Amino acid sequence: MDKKTGISFTVITCIIGFMVAVQYQTIKEPEVRDTRDLWELREDLKQSQELYTELLTKIFTYEAKLEQYENQRDDSRMLILKDTLDELKKQAGLTEVSGPGITITIEQSFNEAGVHTTTISPSLLRWLVNELNSYQAKAISIDGHRVITTTVIREIQGRPKIDSYSISPLPIEIKVIADDAERLYNKLKASEAERQFFIDNLRLKISKPSKVVTIPAYDDPIRITEMQPNMEPDKK
């Protein structure tokens, strides 16, 4: 393996390691008692089975690419590495994506006392993101910023922030892409989302499914602190 191919393989290995490290992370919330009924548990089980099937499919795909990589000529190997790198970048949220989805607008709502809200609490925003992920959202952006598995939503000096960006005053837009946008829309409309936001004097407006929704790439640097490239020479 020449020096150029070795460097490319090191880059791919780092990205694959990063994907494995963050694949199963979620935005953490305090543990609460599980009060779901039997039908909700069955639905969660079905979703878990679908995710398991999807992961198996990905494993078979990467195994096939690995075999292809081993069997092809050196110049073809670079093309395979590039294709794999592009695919992993897309899964990690590092590229702009378009597809069927919905747009959610969060705006202020006046209560009976005339009190109104101009910002959204990070905890409520995290709850909504987790809710969307449970409905098979493929990509999410908040106020124009991409949400990935390592995204942090928090409050700093009284202002809600997503990663290193301050969230704009209301109204703000949340864009969501899903394989089945109609199902996502119906699930969200039937959920507790609108009521949860109303409690915080907020109004949740959910658009009808659209054929094309565009979500930007994640543009914050991704820092990997627990991985180092293997500098030992290839023994093959």
Side-chain angles (χ1 to χ4, degrees), residues 149-166:
T149 51
T150 57
T151 289
V152 177
I153 300 173
R154 56 189 169 178
E155 183 176 297
I156 299 179
Q157 296 181 344
R159 297 193 63 180
K161 301 193 72 170
I162 174 171
D163 292 324
S164 62
Y165 299 98
S166 294

Side-chain angles (χ1 to χ4, degrees), residues 106 118-120 143 159-160 166-173:
I106 301 173
T118 59
T119 60
I120 181 173
D143 195 26
R159 297 193 63 180
S166 294
I167 298 176
S168 304
L170 299 177
I172 62 172
E173 276 192 350

Side-chain angles (χ1 to χ4, degrees), residues 9 61-71 80 84:
F9 191 79
T61 299
Y62 292 140
E63 285 181 342
K65 285 189 176 182
L66 180 60
E67 183 178 355
Q68 185 180 4
Y69 173 80
E70 294 292 344
N71 294 334
I80 297 170
T84 303

Side-chain angles (χ1 to χ4, degrees), residues 86-139:
D86 291 342
E87 186 173 344
L88 290 174
K89 281 184 176 180
K90 183 177 180 181
Q91 292 182 14
L94 304 182
T95 59
E96 179 181 279
V97 292
S98 296
I102 62 174
T103 299
I104 302 169
T105 303
I106 301 173
E107 57 187 20
Q108 61 183 3
S109 175
F110 295 89
N111 62 16
E112 294 180 356
V115 178
H116 65 279
T117 305
T118 59
T119 60
I120 181 173
S121 71
S123 60
L124 186 58
L125 204 51
R126 288 194 299 266
W127 178 87
L128 180 60
V129 169
N130 286 331
E131 196 80 356
L132 293 170
N133 284 329
S134 72
Y135 301 150
Q136 312 302 308
K138 303 292 288 186

Side-chain angles (χ1 to χ4, degrees), residues 1 15-16 18 49 61 92 102 132 141 148 155-156 161 184:
M1 181 182 292
I15 294 177
I16 292 175
F18 168 74
Q49 290 173 335
T61 299
I102 62 174
L132 293 170
S141 69
I148 63 173
E155 183 176 297
I156 299 179
K161 301 193 72 170
L184 172 66

